[in-house]
Amino acid sequence: MKVLVIGSGGREHALCWKISKSQRVSKVYCAPGNGGTLEVAENIPINVDEIEKLVQFAIENNIDLTVVGPELPLVLGIVDKFQEKELKIFGVNKTCAQLEGSKDFSKEFMEKYNIPTAKYKSYINLDEAIEGLEEFTYPLVIKADGLCAGKGVVICNSEEEAINTLKSILGDKVFGSEGEKVVIEEFLDGIEASLLCLVTKDKIIPMESAKDYKKIYEGDKGLNTGGVGCYSPSPLFNDELNGKIERNILENILIGLNQEKMDFRGILFIGLMLVNGEPKVLEFNVRFGDPETEVLIPRLESDIIDIFEKTIDGSLNSSDLIWKENVCVTVVLTSSGYPENYEKGFKITGMEKLDKDIILFHNGTKKLDNDLITNGGRVLSITCLGKTVEEARENIYLDIDNINFDGMRYRKDIGKLKF
């Protein structure tokens, strides 16, 4: 069969890598892809938001299955467009994508179906929003309603900071139409955790757990990033916590999806905060996480094509997910200046020197003539399976400096700093 993967990051490279290993697959395409996906797929120069072009490509090339990586095409309704043409696609429809595409929609859903989350209020009027600050203590969180390329969440430590943030979003329209509404939210203090689930026809099936590192500097300091390291499984997810998540969160989500007649078939990525051991939902995402995908996919024994198809047709069971006992660790190499301003276009060398046990996923690279060059803030994910986290991380750090590009940065405590 022929498979099209949509996206261009480390998540999509990991998906292409795994899909290419399926004996059922004869050809993999990736749109638009990156310098790494070229190794296992044919890159197609169509952007993720060019929905009509992607539909046309799938029709003209007899694509048997399309897999959507990032959130933007899901929110834009790519699944609905493909289904209209009777094209098989893995991902959630436009209605379900609102759980990520609108913070207000997802908070309303949580509140309505008794899913534990932070107290919140939504506003579209600047003056009313400023007045609404009086209902919260500091720190508090202000979120632009829409996607905002992951930059629409601000933790405010004072009233002055909160008012300036509201003026920026609602007054100056720094996020355009994505910031026409804001959510003001209680700040939850605790340990952050994530759970990826496959959702299909009255079932929510958790995948293996993972723990990512969001801060740019060692010791979990500095600015938040898209994730600069990760390992799986996470020791946070013991039987007690899993039971609380099942009873208080997953069962209520399923009730809500059924009540709202939301035909959710795809990935539900639940961002959690553990407050004194009690899980509360920070946010929903409706796609694979990055860098979580880079540590989960190498641990998956099952044929991923079977998983995708059974999710689509509603026949998936937890027994279909078979995992390796090995742990997996990934360390992300970033460009100097990330997550703020950084330069691109630097030549990457030394990949041929990596040990055979290292799996290399490309986040932000592209081929230029015969050279591989940097093309993003997160550049490469150096990944390794091992019997223990310590073994996997040691293999990575023994090998990591074989790779070189101008401004290369990485954290040295991934897998070592515990939570």
Side-chain angles (χ1 to χ4, degrees):
M1 64 190 295
K2 294 195 280 188
V3 179
L4 169 63
V5 175
I6 295 171
S8 61
R11 163 184 51 213
E12 288 77 29
H13 186 189
L15 290 170
C16 288
W17 174 81
K18 181 66 173 173
I19 289 165
S20 71
K21 294 179 180 297
S22 171
Q23 294 188 347
R24 298 180 57 197
V25 174
S26 57
K27 177 76 175 177
V28 185
Y29 298 95
C30 192
N34 61 36
T37 57
L38 278 171
E39 298 166 9
V40 288
E42 180 182 337
N43 285 354
I44 305 300
I46 305 176
N47 292 325
V48 301
D49 59 351
E50 295 181 300
I51 309 298
E52 296 301 333
K53 287 185 181 180
L54 291 165
V55 169
Q56 201 57 37
F57 178 85
I59 292 170
E60 291 174 359
N61 291 273
N62 299 312
I63 300 298
D64 299 291
L65 174 66
T66 298
V67 178
V68 186
E71 62 276 14
L72 179 58
L74 295 169
V75 170
L76 292 174
I78 188 171
V79 169
D80 309 69
K81 293 290 186 184
F82 268 63
Q83 288 174 343
E84 284 171 14
K85 301 293 184 182
E86 298 185 348
L87 295 165
K88 188 180 289 187
I89 184 166
F90 178 84
V92 301
N93 60 33
K94 191 172 184 177
T95 298
C96 295
Q98 289 178 95
L99 286 169
E100 178 165 3
S102 169
K103 312 268 190 326
D104 178 58
F105 180 90
S106 65
K107 292 294 286 189
E108 195 175 299
F109 180 89
M110 291 179 219
E111 190 175 69
K112 185 174 180 180
Y113 293 103
N114 301 312
I115 296 161
T117 189
K119 168 188 151 186
Y120 84 103
K121 283 286 180 71
S122 298
Y123 298 93
I124 55 173
N125 178 274
L126 176 59
D127 292 335
E128 289 177 7
I130 291 172
E131 197 175 309
L133 292 171
E134 295 175 8
E135 297 184 39
F136 296 84
T137 56
Y138 293 91
L140 55 76
V141 184
I142 296 175
K143 300 178 178 179
D145 182 55
L147 292 177
C148 308
K151 296 177 181 175
V153 177
V154 183
I155 298 171
C156 302
N157 292 297
S158 67
E159 184 180 32
E160 181 185 10
E161 195 177 349
I163 290 172
N164 288 337
T165 299
L166 289 172
K167 285 179 177 177
S168 176
I169 298 172
L170 290 175
D172 300 336
K173 308 289 185 189
V174 292
F175 297 119
S177 61
E178 298 295 304
E180 287 179 352
K181 183 184 287 185
V182 296
V183 172
I184 302 176
E185 194 173 276
E186 166 195 16
F187 177 80
L188 295 179
D189 191 14
I191 301 171
E192 219 171 314
S194 301
L195 183 65
L196 279 87
C197 304
L198 286 151
V199 184
T200 180
K201 200 178 178 184
D202 299 326
K203 280 175 278 192
I204 299 182
I205 301 171
M207 301 174 74
E208 276 289 282
S209 61
K211 172 62 192 172
D212 78 324
Y213 294 75
K214 285 192 167 58
K215 300 289 187 181
I216 189 66
Y217 297 129
E218 275 94 12
D220 233 32
K221 305 246 187 311
L223 294 171
N224 268 343
T225 70
V228 290
C230 196
Y231 66 94
S232 174
S234 165
L236 293 173
F237 286 83
N238 54 31
D239 289 343
E240 183 184 5
L241 179 60
N242 288 337
K244 289 177 179 178
I245 291 171
E246 177 70 35
R247 290 188 304 274
N248 302 333
I249 296 173
L250 300 187
E251 288 180 6
N252 290 351
I253 290 172
L254 204 52
I255 289 168
L257 294 175
N258 289 332
Q259 289 286 322
E260 300 294 324
K261 295 183 168 51
M262 294 169 71
D263 187 14
F264 195 115
R265 298 187 191 224
I267 299 289
L268 182 63
F269 179 178
I270 307 170
L272 300 164
M273 185 67 80
L274 309 182
V275 182
N276 299 319
E278 297 300 318
K280 295 192 174 189
V281 177
L282 288 174
E283 64 178 0
F284 291 131
N285 295 322
V286 294
R287 35 69 191 183
F288 281 104
D290 190 337
E292 289 87 356
T293 308
E294 287 91 311
V295 294
L296 288 175
I297 291 297
R299 294 190 61 214
L300 182 64
E301 286 274 23
S302 314
D303 188 321
I304 199 166
I305 296 297
D306 293 342
I307 301 300
F308 289 151
E309 290 195 326
K310 288 182 176 184
T311 302
I312 293 166
D313 69 25
S315 65
L316 186 73
N317 292 303
S318 56
S319 58
D320 293 314
L321 294 172
I322 302 167
W323 300 94
K324 293 176 183 172
E325 290 186 8
N326 302 62
V327 306
C328 191
V329 177
T330 194
V331 177
V332 181
L333 305 184
T334 65
S335 300
S336 179
Y338 175 78
E340 295 187 296
N341 296 324
Y342 57 87
E343 293 182 39
K344 300 187 287 189
F346 298 112
K347 184 178 177 180
I348 305 167
T349 60
M351 288 172 296
E352 72 285 351
K353 298 176 187 174
L354 292 174
D355 187 84
K356 62 179 175 56
D357 290 333
I358 297 293
I359 307 166
L360 187 65
F361 293 126
H362 294 226
N363 299 78
T365 69
K366 71 175 182 179
K367 274 285 180 73
L368 188 64
D369 299 323
N370 290 320
D371 292 331
L372 187 73
I373 63 170
T374 64
N375 193 42
R378 292 186 292 176
V379 179
L380 295 166
S381 292
I382 317 299
T383 307
C384 189
L385 291 160
K387 291 177 182 174
T388 63
V389 170
E390 289 70 27
E391 178 186 278
R393 73 179 302 276
E394 185 177 340
N395 288 344
I396 289 171
Y397 285 115
L398 282 171
D399 239 33
I400 203 165
D401 286 328
N402 283 317
I403 295 180
N404 186 59
F405 57 85
D406 284 355
M408 185 176 99
R409 299 283 185 272
Y410 61 89
R411 276 181 60 165
K412 298 177 176 63
D413 60 352
I414 303 300
K416 186 175 183 180
L417 178 68
K418 297 297 192 285
F419 296 87

